[in-house]
Amino acid sequence: MDLLEYQGKQLFGRYGIPVSPGAAVTTVDEAVATAEGLGYPVVVKAQVLVGGRGKAGGVKLAADVDEIRTHASNILGMDIKGHRVDVVWIEKASDIAEEYYASFTLDRAAKQHLGMLSAQGGVEIEQVADENPDAIARIHVNPVDGLSEVDCRAWVEAAQLNPAATEGAVDILLKLYEAYTEGDADLCEINPLILTPDGRVHALDAKVTLDDNAVFRHPDYEQYDAIQLRDEREQAAHDKGLQYVGLDGFVGVIANGAGLAMSTVDIVNQVGGKPANFLDIGGGANADVMAGALEVINNDPNVRSIFINIFGGITKGEEVANGIVQALARVKIDSPIVIRLDGTNADEGRAILAPHLSDRLQLQPTMLDAARSAVELAGGASA
Ligand code: GDP
Ligand code: MN
């Protein structure tokens, strides 16, 4: 899940990374009161889960009470790339000598953490990567060894920042690595990381993505759940505890296990269909979970057929089949359903489904056959 800038800065602050003092507010009066308390100039910053706020007019400097009033009232309620600004962050303005870029993320292919540092900050890193890839200094960090000060310093030197920024950058990057690993983040990005005219290094922005699977280790992360961007379908699935990602096709997909769910999405595409979603119901596949999954998919107006793809492992075929039969008795489904049931006790499971089969509830022997039937029942391949 993604954090708003100010939440990311709060996380950074807990690890000792220097950030500007400020407050998150929702009204113009609160913005003014905060600015008066901080002392001018201040920066008013739209808090939305999209980048490029500066270019969109969502980041403004205010030198006095009139300006803070103007900017806060303009930015509150503003639409930035489809996101309404409900919260603004007011912080003490910084003087900027140079803008850098710094981040840690996971390099899945290398099975290591990846740090990126560039003297060309302030702009999107994708743009730097495209136009001037050599301007990004990279470091791979073995998660077992961690990031040593020696390696961190060599990395900072490779990025050729202003020498005045070296000590501050080394210090912040070591702390950023700690925030990233201990905080169980997938991404910690500072853009810009600034050098001030008086030689201090400082985080002026914060972009943090936390690993949802680590929330159990950080009870305080629960608070971030409410601000996540989800479409209606994703929210309904989330409320039911399902692993669901909305897609824009017309074949609803239910599978047990993330790997199988991904393969199911692939095979639907392969036979000319378009999946409406990714949905992993996990190992259990009992009636409650299956009913919840069918409800979410049935409520998606784009769905024209449903493909249930189950491979029994520890879960036995008859349990899954009973779950499907009970779920179908509870939820009225509008679209035809194709089931592929294989694995442990598949024959027993198929026997349980047999009396319920019809034109609108088919059983197919293989994943490929089932995908083809589902696409056909949906009215054929996509245009
Ligand atoms: P983003 O556009 O969503 O990435 O928002 P940022 O927080 O990165 O702000 C955009 C730009 O506004 C930065 O790159 C800075 O150039 C500028 N900016 C932000 N805060 C300050 C500040 O305190 N002082 C000055 N002078 N400029 C700032
Ligand atoms: Mn930024």
Side-chain angles (χ1 to χ4, degrees), residues 264-302:
T264 311
V265 163
D266 283 348
I267 205 163
V268 167
N269 275 315
Q270 196 185 310
V271 299
K274 281 211 167 117
N277 64 277
F278 165 99
L279 202 171
D280 165 22
I281 54 169
N286 64 29
D288 284 342
V289 177
M290 187 59 80
L294 283 168
E295 258 172 55
V296 168
I297 289 190
N298 196 54
N299 285 337
D300 181 343
N302 294 325

Side-chain angles (χ1 to χ4, degrees), residues 30 33 41 81 91 101 103 121 131 133-134 137 142 144 179 187 205 253 261 295 331 377 381:
E30 288 174 305
K81 300 177 186 170
E91 75 174 26
Y101 172 95
S103 70
E131 291 168 8
D134 292 342
N142 184 317
V144 177
L187 170 73
D205 193 6
V253 166
E295 258 172 55
V331 190
L377 286 167

Side-chain angles (χ1 to χ4, degrees), residues 53 191-192 205:
R53 295 164 301 156
N191 188 24
D205 193 6

